[in-house]
Amino acid sequence: MRARAKPSAGLRILKATCSICAFVASAALPAAALGPAAASPAVATLSPPPILVPPLQGPPGLDTLPPSLQETALPDAPEPQLPTQSIAADAPPSPPASLAFSLAGAVSSLSNAAPAPKLTNAELDAACQSGALRGKPCKLEWLPMLWEALEATAIENGGNIALDSDTRNDLAHNPYWATYVKCVHQYRFRQWTDDTPFIVHGIGHPMQGASVYSIFAQNDPKSRGLLIANTGNYWRAHLKAMAFVTLFEIQWKIGPASEAAIGNSGLNTYTTPALNGKTTNETGFQDFVITPVFGLGWNIAEDLVDRFVMPHIWKRTHNKLILTALLPLTPCRDAANILRYKPFYYRDYPLTPLR
């Protein structure tokens, strides 16, 4: 084996000098991290001149130090502070400036917006009739309308019971359901006239129909407050009301709270000199037609009074007694007002004279 050559004395002196310098540098590193006050004078005296190191591109750590210093670095050395760019990268991204601005504007407008003024009934009806407002506010108010129709039916049945002894007797002695079914079965649908006086089918039933027209109108925002005019709104409102009046009359003649059920109309067949010996049970088809058709004519007549007569009276006086005394001018409209607990002279629209 070949013997290894011994290093020369000069080389040994150079290695010893480098070891001493490395030891002194490793001892001075923690003292420099703690500040000048923590460094001992001896170490400061022995420390070599500072070594210029190029700036690092990231946060300083052990892996960025020279290999000779990595082994001597203290484990409890203070953590270096990271740059602000790395902190911002871990944070959740903020919304765009335009979105933040729009959200702030929306919140500001909601907090600063004043509540919308509430519409009066007249303004609401006008908006529904013009088409500016749609949806639930413009829907027909079914429950109040049906309640008022029930009130009208109860009043009419009460009048029959109070004024007709035969109705009282039949109601007191006949079973309700069996008698009602028999009356409907014997109803003369194929005969036009019901053999009643003119004041009944010529006056009473048209007034009944006109009252139900007013009940419908005062519960329909698209019909309420309409003055007579040759417009689509006016005639559409009356056609819708005619369908309701027809259903009301069917119930009144043969329904469960009808003349057939409570008044036992059609139960008894008899002869009378007024009919020249013909038999009758006072039933016929005419009232199913007269009530909605003639009732429409009566309702239009009251519209004319409200359009051309009542405004001049309202212009001269608002005395409640005088206005109540004018009930014969619009009796059906006034009766419908009572059913909704309003005065006779109440109107859903201003009565202004024509210019």
Side-chain angles (χ1 to χ4, degrees):
M1 174 180 284
R2 183 179 178 181
R4 188 169 36 177
K6 294 182 180 181
S8 62
L11 183 58
R12 288 198 298 270
I13 294 172
L14 180 61
K15 287 183 177 182
T17 304
C18 290
S19 299
I20 293 172
C21 292
F23 176 78
V24 172
S26 62
L29 179 62
L34 296 175
S40 62
V43 174
T45 310
L46 297 175
S47 61
I51 302 173
L52 297 178
V53 180
L56 301 176
Q57 296 298 324
L62 296 178
D63 56 344
T64 60
L65 296 176
S68 60
L69 297 182
Q70 291 181 14
E71 298 178 357
T72 56
L74 296 178
D76 56 349
E79 294 290 337
Q81 294 186 356
L82 300 178
T84 56
Q85 289 81 356
S86 62
I87 298 176
D90 295 335
S94 59
S98 58
L99 178 58
F101 179 79
S102 61
L103 291 176
V107 173
S108 176
S109 61
L110 288 175
S111 60
N112 297 332
K118 186 177 180 180
L119 296 178
T120 64
N121 289 337
E123 292 171 342
L124 176 65
D125 295 343
C128 292
Q129 292 159 15
S130 65
L133 183 64
R134 300 178 185 275
K136 187 176 180 180
C138 299
K139 297 293 184 181
L140 181 67
E141 300 168 1
W142 280 98
L143 289 180
M145 182 181 69
L146 294 177
W147 174 254
E148 293 163 17
L150 179 62
E151 288 179 315
T153 303
I155 292 172
E156 291 171 353
N157 278 320
N160 286 341
I161 294 171
L163 301 176
D164 188 1
S165 59
D166 292 336
T167 299
R168 294 194 299 271
N169 182 68
D170 292 339
L171 191 61
H173 296 91
N174 296 330
Y176 168 78
W177 185 253
T179 307
Y180 166 53
V181 172
K182 184 177 181 180
C183 290
V184 174
H185 180 72
Q186 296 182 172
Y187 202 95
R188 300 182 301 179
F189 293 101
R190 296 182 180 181
Q191 181 170 315
W192 172 254
T193 180
D194 59 6
D195 303 322
T196 55
F198 173 79
I199 192 172
V200 176
H201 64 260
I203 302 296
H205 279 277
M207 291 184 68
Q208 180 193 48
S211 299
V212 181
Y213 273 99
S214 295
I215 289 174
F216 182 90
Q218 66 195 19
N219 290 288
D220 180 23
K222 295 182 180 179
S223 305
R224 186 167 47 214
L226 282 177
L227 295 176
I228 184 171
N230 188 20
T231 61
N233 281 345
Y234 182 82
W235 296 116
R236 278 192 298 269
H238 282 75
L239 287 176
K240 291 189 298 182
M242 180 179 284
F244 178 68
V245 175
T246 302
L247 294 176
F248 178 92
E249 185 62 18
I250 292 173
Q251 195 293 128
W252 172 246
K253 300 304 291 186
I254 57 174
S258 64
E259 290 180 326
I262 295 177
N264 294 162
S265 176
L267 178 63
N268 302 314
T269 301
Y270 58 92
T271 60
T272 175
L275 300 176
N276 298 323
K278 293 181 180 180
T279 61
T280 183
N281 64 359
E282 296 185 351
T283 62
F285 195 74
Q286 65 179 15
D287 289 341
F288 294 104
V289 178
I290 287 176
T291 301
V293 176
F294 288 17
L296 174 62
W298 193 293
N299 182 260
I300 292 175
E302 292 194 359
D303 284 345
L304 290 171
V305 173
D306 269 356
R307 188 73 175 92
F308 297 103
V309 178
M310 294 301 295
H312 297 284
I313 298 174
W314 277 70
K315 184 180 179 180
R316 287 169 174 76
T317 180
H318 285 180
N319 186 282
K320 296 180 180 180
L321 294 177
I322 296 176
L323 295 176
T324 303
L326 297 175
L327 182 148
L329 293 177
T330 53
C332 301
R333 189 151 305 170
D334 298 347
N337 278 332
I338 293 300
L339 296 177
R340 59 172 171 169
Y341 314 111
K342 297 287 186 182
F344 288 114
Y345 49 82
Y346 180 82
R347 294 296 184 270
D348 292 297
Y349 43 85
L351 296 175
T352 56
L354 289 175
R355 295 185 179 181

